[in-house]
Amino acid sequence: MADIFRKGSKGDAVVAIQEKLQHLGFALEADGHFGDITHNIVVALQVIFGYDVDGVVGPATLKLIDKQVSLNWNLQRAQQHGYPTHGASA
């Protein structure tokens, strides 16, 4: 069974997720605590990419994060090109 990360999750795996979110251009501290900021960023990412929005990093959202990191997607570059037009204000 795959790990699922949500508000209240803590540890090295959360740090790894937060570092990937930083790489994607989201402003947060990689402190290992899945709090409100991490939750809100996950929600924004899910909205941007048309995923079911639950603020939880399960297998599908983790795959999305990993794929976008591998593609070098970045929020600031996307915004410079007018995308997303709604949903994310991280």
Side-chain angles (χ1 to χ4, degrees):
M1 183 162 119
D3 290 325
I4 297 176
F5 304 94
R6 59 175 46 94
K7 274 189 187 181
S9 296
K10 295 180 182 180
D12 292 339
V14 175
V15 170
I17 291 166
Q18 291 169 326
E19 288 173 345
K20 291 174 186 179
L21 293 171
Q22 288 174 332
H23 179 82
L24 295 176
F26 292 96
L28 78 159
E29 182 180 347
D31 61 3
H33 178 257
F34 197 123
D36 289 337
I37 293 171
T38 303
H39 171 83
N40 292 341
I41 288 171
V42 170
V43 166
L45 190 69
Q46 290 170 332
V47 168
I48 290 167
F49 288 97
Y51 276 55
D52 290 338
V53 177
D54 59 8
V56 173
V57 178
T61 299
L62 187 56
K63 185 175 180 179
L64 168 67
I65 292 168
D66 287 340
K67 181 66 174 178
Q68 296 311 314
V69 167
S70 75
L71 294 172
N72 205 29
W73 183 88
N74 183 275
L75 178 64
Q76 284 76 32
R77 280 195 308 274
Q79 289 173 331
Q80 289 171 356
H81 295 284
Y83 184 85
T85 57
H86 67 281
S89 59

